[in-house]
Amino acid sequence: MPPIADTDPGWYRAQKRLLDEVEHGVREANRAVIGQRVPELTRDAFLRLATVVARLRADAEAQMGLGAFDKARAILAEAVAIDASSADALADKLVSRRVSEAASLKATAGISLAQLDYAAAIDAYEKAAALHLRIEHEAVSDADRRARNWLLADLGDLHTQLGSTTHALDAYRRMEAAAR
């Protein structure tokens, strides 16, 4: 007997997994398409894409004026695909830069620890954690998510060593929440 959608939590999990897989597939397809049109999304390439999208919108408007609604809809679908692909490419670059910045801040914390400058180490760890928080809902690799968790663990450990159990508990709770 097939699962009953309203009552079976397994059915909901399976549906969510399927939707996640489809979304991932669409994102990969968009990246492939945009990669063929523009190998690297630079400022100039982005402006060229914006011009293409503006022209497509104008073409769609002209088609609507002629009553060719299906053709206008198809033209706008192409504009949407270009915008989605370039947005994904920009989001990927943003995530990459935030992760890199966080890694540099963690290294800065390491230097501060070597110099016994605990306040500076805590500050660097907190800044790195804040960067990870800003990209929490983006497509971040598992390795980078683990790095964020270990960063929060290091912060909690440092607070523990300094006797600040309240701050340590806060860092560990953030780590636990991030790991979910």
Side-chain angles (χ1 to χ4, degrees), residues 37-126:
R37 288 187 180 199
V38 182
E40 186 175 340
L41 194 57
T42 63
R43 179 186 172 278
D44 291 337
F46 183 79
L47 292 175
R48 281 194 307 275
L49 285 176
T51 301
V52 168
V53 168
R55 286 188 184 130
L56 287 169
R57 284 193 202 119
D59 290 348
E61 189 173 330
Q63 292 301 317
M64 287 188 324
L66 297 171
F69 297 110
D70 289 339
K71 190 168 184 178
R73 188 174 287 115
I75 291 169
L76 288 174
E78 185 178 352
V80 167
I82 290 170
D83 280 335
S85 297
S86 61
D88 285 345
L90 289 172
D92 289 345
K93 285 188 181 282
L94 173 68
V95 167
S96 172
R97 300 314 329 137
R98 295 279 191 238
V99 167
S100 178
E101 185 180 359
S104 295
L105 285 164
K106 184 174 181 191
T108 300
I111 292 169
S112 297
L113 287 172
Q115 295 178 312
L116 304 179
D117 187 350
Y118 301 120
I122 290 170
D123 184 57
Y125 279 139
E126 288 290 359

Coordinates of all heavy atoms in Angstrom, one line a residue, residues 37-126:
R37 N 28.2 30.0 -22.1 CA 28.0 31.4 -22.6 C 29.2 32.3 -22.1 O 29.6 33.2 -22.9 CB 26.7 32.0 -22.1 CG 25.5 31.3 -22.8 CD 24.3 32.1 -22.5 NE 23.2 31.4 -23.1 CZ 22.0 32.0 -23.3 NH1 21.8 33.2 -22.9 NH2 21.1 31.4 -23.9
V38 N 29.5 32.2 -20.9 CA 30.5 33.1 -20.3 C 31.4 32.2 -19.4 O 31.0 31.8 -18.3 CB 29.9 34.2 -19.4 CG1 31.0 35.1 -18.9 CG2 28.9 35.0 -20.2
P39 N 32.6 31.9 -19.8 CA 33.5 31.0 -19.1 C 33.8 31.5 -17.7 O 33.8 30.7 -16.7 CB 34.8 30.9 -19.9 CG 34.4 31.4 -21.3 CD 33.2 32.3 -21.1
E40 N 34.0 32.8 -17.5 CA 34.2 33.3 -16.2 C 33.4 34.6 -16.0 O 33.3 35.4 -16.9 CB 35.7 33.7 -16.0 CG 36.0 34.1 -14.6 CD 37.5 34.4 -14.4 OE1 38.3 33.9 -15.2 OE2 37.8 35.1 -13.4
L41 N 32.7 34.6 -14.9 CA 31.7 35.7 -14.7 C 32.5 36.9 -14.1 O 32.6 37.1 -12.9 CB 30.6 35.3 -13.8 CG 29.4 36.3 -13.7 CD1 28.8 36.4 -15.1 CD2 28.3 35.7 -12.8
T42 N 33.0 37.7 -15.0 CA 33.7 39.0 -14.6 C 32.8 40.1 -14.7 O 31.6 40.0 -15.1 CB 34.9 39.3 -15.6 OG1 34.3 39.5 -16.9 CG2 35.9 38.1 -15.7
R43 N 33.2 41.3 -14.3 CA 32.3 42.5 -14.4 C 31.8 42.7 -15.8 O 30.6 42.9 -16.0 CB 33.1 43.7 -13.9 CG 32.3 45.0 -13.9 CD 33.2 46.2 -13.5 NE 32.6 47.4 -13.7 CZ 32.4 48.0 -14.9 NH1 33.0 47.5 -16.0 NH2 31.8 49.2 -15.0
D44 N 32.7 42.7 -16.8 CA 32.3 42.9 -18.2 C 31.4 41.8 -18.6 O 30.4 42.1 -19.3 CB 33.5 42.9 -19.1 CG 34.4 44.2 -18.8 OD1 33.8 45.2 -18.3 OD2 35.6 44.2 -19.2
A45 N 31.6 40.6 -18.3 CA 30.8 39.5 -18.7 C 29.4 39.6 -18.0 O 28.4 39.4 -18.7 CB 31.4 38.1 -18.3
F46 N 29.4 40.1 -16.8 CA 28.1 40.3 -16.1 C 27.3 41.4 -16.8 O 26.1 41.3 -17.0 CB 28.3 40.6 -14.6 CG 27.1 40.8 -13.9 CD1 26.4 39.7 -13.4 CD2 26.6 42.1 -13.6 CE1 25.2 39.9 -12.7 CE2 25.4 42.2 -12.9 CZ 24.7 41.1 -12.4
L47 N 28.0 42.5 -17.2 CA 27.3 43.6 -17.9 C 26.8 43.1 -19.2 O 25.7 43.5 -19.7 CB 28.2 44.8 -18.0 CG 28.6 45.5 -16.7 CD1 29.6 46.6 -16.9 CD2 27.3 46.0 -16.0
R48 N 27.5 42.3 -19.9 CA 27.1 41.7 -21.2 C 25.8 40.9 -21.0 O 24.8 41.0 -21.8 CB 28.1 40.8 -21.9 CG 29.2 41.6 -22.6 CD 30.1 40.8 -23.5 NE 30.6 39.6 -22.9 CZ 31.8 39.5 -22.2 NH1 32.5 40.6 -22.1 NH2 32.2 38.4 -21.7
L49 N 25.8 40.1 -20.0 CA 24.6 39.3 -19.7 C 23.4 40.2 -19.3 O 22.3 39.9 -19.7 CB 24.9 38.3 -18.5 CG 25.7 37.1 -18.8 CD1 26.0 36.3 -17.6 CD2 25.1 36.2 -19.9
A50 N 23.6 41.2 -18.6 CA 22.6 42.2 -18.2 C 22.0 42.8 -19.5 O 20.8 43.0 -19.6 CB 23.1 43.2 -17.3
T51 N 22.9 43.1 -20.4 CA 22.4 43.7 -21.7 C 21.6 42.7 -22.5 O 20.5 43.0 -23.1 CB 23.6 44.1 -22.6 OG1 24.3 45.1 -21.8 CG2 23.2 44.8 -23.9
V52 N 22.0 41.4 -22.5 CA 21.3 40.4 -23.2 C 19.9 40.2 -22.6 O 18.9 40.1 -23.3 CB 22.1 39.0 -23.2 CG1 21.2 37.9 -23.6 CG2 23.3 39.1 -24.0
V53 N 19.8 40.2 -21.3 CA 18.6 40.1 -20.6 C 17.7 41.2 -20.9 O 16.5 41.1 -21.2 CB 18.8 39.9 -19.1 CG1 17.5 40.0 -18.3 CG2 19.4 38.5 -18.8
A54 N 18.2 42.5 -20.9 CA 17.4 43.6 -21.2 C 16.8 43.5 -22.7 O 15.7 43.9 -22.9 CB 18.2 44.9 -21.1
R55 N 17.7 43.1 -23.6 CA 17.2 42.9 -25.0 C 16.1 41.8 -25.0 O 15.1 42.0 -25.8 CB 18.4 42.5 -25.9 CG 19.2 43.7 -26.2 CD 20.3 43.4 -27.2 NE 21.1 44.5 -27.4 CZ 22.5 44.5 -27.4 NH1 23.1 43.3 -27.3 NH2 23.2 45.6 -27.5
L56 N 16.3 40.8 -24.3 CA 15.3 39.7 -24.3 C 13.9 40.2 -23.8 O 12.9 39.9 -24.3 CB 15.7 38.5 -23.5 CG 16.8 37.6 -24.1 CD1 17.4 36.6 -23.1 CD2 16.3 36.9 -25.4
R57 N 14.0 41.0 -22.7 CA 12.8 41.6 -22.2 C 12.1 42.5 -23.2 O 10.9 42.5 -23.3 CB 13.1 42.4 -20.9 CG 13.3 41.5 -19.7 CD 13.3 42.4 -18.4 NE 14.0 41.6 -17.4 CZ 15.1 42.1 -16.8 NH1 15.6 43.2 -17.0 NH2 15.6 41.3 -15.8
A58 N 12.9 43.3 -23.9 CA 12.3 44.2 -24.9 C 11.7 43.4 -26.1 O 10.6 43.7 -26.6 CB 13.4 45.1 -25.5
D59 N 12.4 42.3 -26.5 CA 11.8 41.4 -27.5 C 10.5 40.8 -27.0 O 9.5 40.7 -27.8 CB 12.8 40.3 -27.8 CG 14.0 40.8 -28.6 OD1 14.0 41.9 -29.0 OD2 15.0 40.0 -28.7
A60 N 10.5 40.4 -25.7 CA 9.3 39.8 -25.2 C 8.1 40.9 -25.2 O 7.0 40.5 -25.5 CB 9.5 39.3 -23.8
E61 N 8.4 42.1 -24.8 CA 7.4 43.1 -24.8 C 6.9 43.4 -26.2 O 5.7 43.5 -26.4 CB 8.0 44.4 -24.2 CG 7.0 45.5 -24.0 CD 7.6 46.7 -23.3 OE1 8.5 46.6 -22.5 OE2 7.0 47.8 -23.5
A62 N 7.8 43.4 -27.2 CA 7.4 43.6 -28.6 C 6.4 42.4 -29.0 O 5.4 42.6 -29.7 CB 8.6 43.6 -29.5
Q63 N 6.8 41.2 -28.6 CA 6.0 40.0 -29.0 C 4.6 40.1 -28.3 O 3.6 39.7 -28.9 CB 6.7 38.7 -28.6 CG 7.9 38.4 -29.4 CD 7.6 38.3 -30.9 OE1 6.6 37.7 -31.3 NE2 8.4 38.9 -31.7
M64 N 4.6 40.6 -27.1 CA 3.3 40.8 -26.4 C 2.4 41.8 -27.1 O 1.2 41.6 -27.3 CB 3.5 41.2 -24.9 CG 4.0 40.1 -24.0 SD 4.0 40.4 -22.3 CE 4.5 42.1 -22.1
G65 N 3.0 42.9 -27.6 CA 2.3 43.9 -28.4 C 1.7 43.3 -29.7 O 0.7 43.8 -30.2
L66 N 2.3 42.3 -30.2 CA 1.8 41.6 -31.4 C 0.8 40.5 -31.1 O 0.3 39.9 -32.0 CB 3.0 41.0 -32.2 CG 4.0 42.0 -32.8 CD1 5.2 41.3 -33.3 CD2 3.4 42.9 -33.8
G67 N 0.6 40.3 -29.8 CA -0.3 39.2 -29.4 C 0.3 37.8 -29.3 O -0.4 36.8 -29.1
A68 N 1.6 37.7 -29.5 CA 2.3 36.4 -29.5 C 2.8 36.1 -28.0 O 4.0 36.2 -27.7 CB 3.5 36.5 -30.4
F69 N 1.8 35.8 -27.2 CA 2.1 35.6 -25.8 C 2.9 34.4 -25.5 O 3.8 34.5 -24.6 CB 0.7 35.5 -25.0 CG -0.1 36.8 -25.1 CD1 -1.3 36.8 -25.8 CD2 0.3 37.9 -24.5 CE1 -2.0 38.0 -25.9 CE2 -0.4 39.1 -24.6 CZ -1.6 39.1 -25.3
D70 N 2.7 33.3 -26.2 CA 3.6 32.1 -26.0 C 5.0 32.4 -26.3 O 5.9 32.0 -25.6 CB 3.1 30.9 -26.8 CG 1.8 30.4 -26.2 OD1 1.5 30.7 -25.0 OD2 1.0 29.7 -27.0
K71 N 5.2 33.1 -27.4 CA 6.6 33.5 -27.8 C 7.2 34.4 -26.8 O 8.4 34.3 -26.4 CB 6.6 34.1 -29.2 CG 8.0 34.2 -29.8 CD 8.0 34.6 -31.2 CE 9.4 34.6 -31.8 NZ 9.5 34.9 -33.2
A72 N 6.4 35.4 -26.3 CA 6.9 36.3 -25.3 C 7.3 35.5 -24.0 O 8.4 35.8 -23.4 CB 5.9 37.4 -25.0
R73 N 6.5 34.6 -23.6 CA 6.7 33.8 -22.4 C 8.0 33.0 -22.6 O 8.8 32.9 -21.7 CB 5.5 32.8 -22.2 CG 5.7 32.1 -20.9 CD 4.4 31.3 -20.5 NE 3.3 32.2 -20.2 CZ 2.2 32.4 -20.9 NH1 2.0 31.7 -22.0 NH2 1.3 33.2 -20.4
A74 N 8.3 32.4 -23.8 CA 9.5 31.6 -24.1 C 10.7 32.5 -24.0 O 11.8 32.1 -23.4 CB 9.4 30.9 -25.4
I75 N 10.6 33.7 -24.5 CA 11.7 34.7 -24.5 C 12.0 35.0 -23.1 O 13.2 35.1 -22.6 CB 11.4 35.9 -25.4 CG1 11.4 35.5 -26.9 CG2 12.4 37.0 -25.1 CD1 10.8 36.6 -27.8
L76 N 11.0 35.3 -22.3 CA 11.2 35.7 -20.9 C 11.8 34.5 -20.1 O 12.6 34.7 -19.1 CB 9.9 36.2 -20.2 CG 9.5 37.6 -20.7 CD1 8.1 37.9 -20.1 CD2 10.5 38.6 -20.3
A77 N 11.4 33.3 -20.4 CA 12.0 32.1 -19.8 C 13.5 32.0 -20.0 O 14.2 31.7 -19.1 CB 11.3 30.8 -20.3
E78 N 13.9 32.4 -21.2 CA 15.4 32.5 -21.4 C 16.0 33.5 -20.6 O 17.1 33.3 -20.0 CB 15.6 32.7 -22.9 CG 17.1 32.6 -23.3 CD 17.4 32.9 -24.8 OE1 16.4 32.9 -25.6 OE2 18.6 33.0 -25.1
A79 N 15.4 34.7 -20.5 CA 15.9 35.8 -19.6 C 16.0 35.3 -18.2 O 17.0 35.6 -17.5 CB 15.1 37.0 -19.7
V80 N 15.0 34.6 -17.7 CA 15.0 34.1 -16.3 C 16.2 33.1 -16.1 O 16.9 33.2 -15.1 CB 13.6 33.5 -16.0 CG1 13.7 32.7 -14.7 CG2 12.6 34.6 -15.9
A81 N 16.4 32.3 -17.1 CA 17.4 31.3 -17.0 C 18.8 31.9 -16.9 O 19.7 31.5 -16.1 CB 17.4 30.3 -18.1
I82 N 19.0 33.0 -17.7 CA 20.3 33.7 -17.7 C 20.5 34.3 -16.3 O 21.6 34.3 -15.7 CB 20.3 34.7 -18.8 CG1 20.4 34.0 -20.2 CG2 21.5 35.7 -18.7 CD1 20.3 34.9 -21.4
D83 N 19.4 35.0 -15.8 CA 19.6 35.7 -14.5 C 19.8 34.7 -13.4 O 20.7 34.9 -12.5 CB 18.3 36.5 -14.2 CG 18.3 37.8 -14.9 OD1 19.4 38.4 -15.2 OD2 17.2 38.4 -15.1
A84 N 19.1 33.5 -13.5 CA 19.3 32.5 -12.4 C 20.7 32.0 -12.5 O 21.4 31.8 -11.4 CB 18.3 31.4 -12.6
S85 N 21.2 31.7 -13.7 CA 22.5 31.1 -13.8 C 23.6 32.1 -13.3 O 24.5 31.7 -12.6 CB 22.8 30.8 -15.3 OG 21.9 29.8 -15.7
S86 N 23.5 33.4 -13.7 CA 24.5 34.3 -13.3 C 24.4 34.6 -11.8 O 25.4 34.7 -11.1 CB 24.4 35.6 -14.1 OG 23.1 36.2 -13.9
A87 N 23.2 34.5 -11.2 CA 23.0 34.7 -9.8 C 23.7 33.5 -9.1 O 24.4 33.7 -8.0 CB 21.6 34.8 -9.4
D88 N 23.5 32.3 -9.6 CA 24.2 31.1 -9.0 C 25.7 31.3 -9.0 O 26.4 31.0 -8.1 CB 23.8 29.8 -9.7 CG 22.4 29.4 -9.3 OD1 21.8 29.9 -8.3 OD2 21.8 28.5 -10.0
A89 N 26.2 31.7 -10.2 CA 27.7 31.9 -10.3 C 28.2 32.9 -9.3 O 29.2 32.8 -8.7 CB 28.0 32.3 -11.7
L90 N 27.4 34.0 -9.2 CA 27.8 35.1 -8.2 C 27.8 34.6 -6.8 O 28.7 34.8 -6.0 CB 27.0 36.3 -8.4 CG 27.2 37.1 -9.6 CD1 26.1 38.2 -9.8 CD2 28.6 37.8 -9.6
A91 N 26.7 33.8 -6.5 CA 26.6 33.2 -5.1 C 27.7 32.3 -4.8 O 28.3 32.3 -3.7 CB 25.3 32.5 -5.0
D92 N 28.1 31.5 -5.8 CA 29.3 30.6 -5.6 C 30.5 31.3 -5.3 O 31.3 31.0 -4.4 CB 29.4 29.7 -6.8 CG 28.4 28.6 -7.0 OD1 27.6 28.4 -6.0 OD2 28.2 28.0 -8.1
K93 N 30.8 32.4 -6.1 CA 32.0 33.2 -5.8 C 31.9 33.9 -4.5 O 32.9 33.9 -3.8 CB 32.1 34.3 -6.9 CG 32.6 33.7 -8.2 CD 32.9 34.8 -9.2 CE 33.3 34.3 -10.5 NZ 34.7 33.8 -10.5
L94 N 30.8 34.4 -4.1 CA 30.6 35.0 -2.8 C 30.9 34.0 -1.7 O 31.7 34.3 -0.7 CB 29.2 35.5 -2.6 CG 28.9 36.1 -1.2 CD1 29.7 37.3 -0.9 CD2 27.4 36.4 -1.0
V95 N 30.4 32.8 -1.8 CA 30.6 31.7 -0.8 C 32.1 31.4 -0.7 O 32.7 31.4 0.4 CB 29.8 30.5 -1.1 CG1 30.3 29.3 -0.2 CG2 28.3 30.7 -0.8
S96 N 32.7 31.3 -1.8 CA 34.1 31.0 -1.9 C 35.0 32.1 -1.2 O 35.9 31.8 -0.4 CB 34.6 30.8 -3.3 OG 36.0 30.7 -3.4
R97 N 34.6 33.3 -1.4 CA 35.4 34.4 -0.9 C 35.1 34.5 0.7 O 36.0 34.8 1.4 CB 35.0 35.8 -1.5 CG 35.3 35.9 -3.0 CD 36.6 35.4 -3.6 NE 37.8 35.5 -2.7 CZ 38.7 34.5 -2.6 NH1 38.6 33.4 -3.2 NH2 39.8 34.7 -1.8
R98 N 33.9 34.3 1.1 CA 33.6 34.3 2.5 C 34.3 33.2 3.3 O 34.9 33.4 4.4 CB 32.1 34.2 2.8 CG 31.3 35.3 2.2 CD 31.3 36.5 3.2 NE 30.3 37.5 2.8 CZ 30.6 38.7 2.5 NH1 31.8 39.2 2.6 NH2 29.6 39.6 2.1
V99 N 34.4 32.0 2.7 CA 35.1 30.9 3.3 C 36.6 31.2 3.4 O 37.2 30.9 4.4 CB 34.8 29.6 2.5 CG1 35.7 28.5 2.9 CG2 33.3 29.2 2.7
S100 N 37.1 31.8 2.3 CA 38.5 32.1 2.3 C 38.8 33.2 3.4 O 39.8 33.1 4.1 CB 38.9 32.6 0.9 OG 40.3 33.0 0.9
E101 N 38.0 34.2 3.5 CA 38.2 35.2 4.5 C 38.1 34.6 5.9 O 38.9 35.0 6.7 CB 37.1 36.3 4.3 CG 37.2 37.5 5.2 CD 36.2 38.5 5.0 OE1 35.3 38.4 4.1 OE2 36.2 39.6 5.7
A102 N 37.2 33.7 6.1 CA 37.0 33.1 7.4 C 38.3 32.3 7.7 O 38.8 32.3 8.9 CB 35.8 32.2 7.5
A103 N 38.8 31.6 6.7 CA 40.1 30.8 7.0 C 41.2 31.7 7.3 O 42.1 31.4 8.2 CB 40.4 30.0 5.7
S104 N 41.3 32.9 6.7 CA 42.4 33.8 7.0 C 42.2 34.4 8.4 O 43.2 34.5 9.2 CB 42.4 35.0 6.0 OG 42.7 34.5 4.7
L105 N 40.9 34.6 8.8 CA 40.7 35.1 10.2 C 41.0 34.0 11.2 O 41.6 34.3 12.3 CB 39.3 35.5 10.3 CG 38.9 36.9 9.7 CD1 37.4 37.1 9.5 CD2 39.6 38.0 10.5
K106 N 40.8 32.7 10.9 CA 41.1 31.7 11.8 C 42.7 31.6 11.9 O 43.2 31.4 13.0 CB 40.6 30.3 11.3 CG 40.9 29.2 12.3 CD 40.2 27.9 12.0 CE 40.6 26.9 13.1 NZ 40.2 25.6 12.8
A107 N 43.4 31.8 10.8 CA 44.8 31.8 10.9 C 45.3 33.0 11.7 O 46.3 32.8 12.5 CB 45.4 31.8 9.5
T108 N 44.6 34.1 11.6 CA 45.0 35.3 12.4 C 44.8 35.0 13.9 O 45.6 35.4 14.7 CB 44.1 36.5 12.0 OG1 44.3 36.8 10.6 CG2 44.4 37.7 12.8
A109 N 43.7 34.2 14.2 CA 43.4 33.8 15.6 C 44.6 32.9 16.1 O 45.0 33.1 17.2 CB 42.1 33.1 15.7
G110 N 45.1 32.1 15.2 CA 46.2 31.2 15.6 C 47.5 32.0 15.9 O 48.2 31.7 16.9
I111 N 47.7 33.1 15.2 CA 48.9 34.0 15.4 C 48.7 34.7 16.8 O 49.6 34.8 17.6 CB 49.0 35.0 14.3 CG1 49.5 34.3 13.0 CG2 50.0 36.1 14.7 CD1 49.5 35.2 11.8
S112 N 47.4 35.1 17.0 CA 47.1 35.8 18.3 C 47.3 34.9 19.4 O 47.8 35.3 20.5 CB 45.7 36.4 18.2 OG 45.6 37.3 17.2
L113 N 46.9 33.6 19.3 CA 47.1 32.7 20.4 C 48.6 32.4 20.6 O 49.0 32.3 21.8 CB 46.4 31.3 20.0 CG 44.9 31.3 20.1 CD1 44.4 30.0 19.5 CD2 44.4 31.6 21.5
A114 N 49.4 32.4 19.6 CA 50.8 32.2 19.7 C 51.5 33.3 20.5 O 52.4 33.2 21.2 CB 51.5 32.0 18.4
Q115 N 50.9 34.5 20.3 CA 51.4 35.7 21.1 C 50.7 35.9 22.4 O 50.9 36.9 23.1 CB 51.2 36.9 20.2 CG 52.0 36.9 18.9 CD 51.7 38.1 18.1 OE1 50.6 38.5 17.8 NE2 52.8 38.8 17.6
L116 N 49.8 35.0 22.8 CA 49.1 35.0 24.0 C 48.1 36.2 24.1 O 47.8 36.7 25.2 CB 50.0 35.0 25.2 CG 50.9 33.8 25.3 CD1 51.8 33.9 26.6 CD2 50.2 32.5 25.3
D117 N 47.7 36.7 22.9 CA 46.7 37.8 22.8 C 45.3 37.2 22.6 O 44.8 37.1 21.5 CB 47.1 38.7 21.6 CG 46.2 40.0 21.6 OD1 45.2 40.0 22.3 OD2 46.6 40.8 20.8
Y118 N 44.8 36.8 23.7 CA 43.5 36.0 23.7 C 42.3 36.9 23.2 O 41.5 36.4 22.5 CB 43.2 35.4 25.1 CG 44.3 34.5 25.6 CD1 45.0 34.8 26.7 CD2 44.7 33.4 24.8 CE1 46.1 33.9 27.2 CE2 45.7 32.6 25.2 CZ 46.4 32.8 26.4 OH 47.4 32.0 26.8
A119 N 42.3 38.1 23.6 CA 41.2 39.0 23.1 C 41.2 39.1 21.6 O 40.2 39.0 21.0 CB 41.3 40.4 23.8
A120 N 42.4 39.2 21.0 CA 42.5 39.3 19.5 C 42.1 38.0 18.9 O 41.5 38.0 17.8 CB 43.9 39.7 19.1
A121 N 42.5 36.9 19.5 CA 42.1 35.6 19.0 C 40.6 35.4 19.0 O 40.0 34.9 18.0 CB 42.8 34.5 19.8
I122 N 40.0 35.8 20.2 CA 38.5 35.7 20.3 C 37.9 36.5 19.2 O 36.9 36.1 18.5 CB 38.0 36.0 21.7 CG1 38.5 34.9 22.7 CG2 36.5 36.3 21.7 CD1 38.3 35.3 24.1
D123 N 38.4 37.7 19.0 CA 37.8 38.7 18.0 C 37.9 38.0 16.6 O 36.9 38.1 15.9 CB 38.6 40.0 18.1 CG 38.0 41.0 17.1 OD1 36.8 41.3 17.2 OD2 38.7 41.5 16.3
A124 N 39.0 37.5 16.3 CA 39.2 36.9 15.0 C 38.3 35.7 14.8 O 37.7 35.5 13.7 CB 40.7 36.5 14.7
Y125 N 38.2 34.8 15.8 CA 37.3 33.7 15.7 C 35.8 34.1 15.5 O 35.1 33.6 14.7 CB 37.4 32.8 17.0 CG 38.5 31.9 17.1 CD1 39.2 31.7 18.3 CD2 38.9 31.1 16.0 CE1 40.2 30.8 18.4 CE2 39.9 30.1 16.1 CZ 40.6 30.0 17.3 OH 41.6 29.1 17.4
E126 N 35.4 35.2 16.3 CA 34.1 35.7 16.2 C 33.8 36.2 14.8 O 32.7 36.0 14.2 CB 33.8 36.7 17.3 CG 33.7 36.1 18.7 CD 32.4 35.3 18.9 OE1 31.6 35.1 18.0 OE2 32.3 34.8 20.0

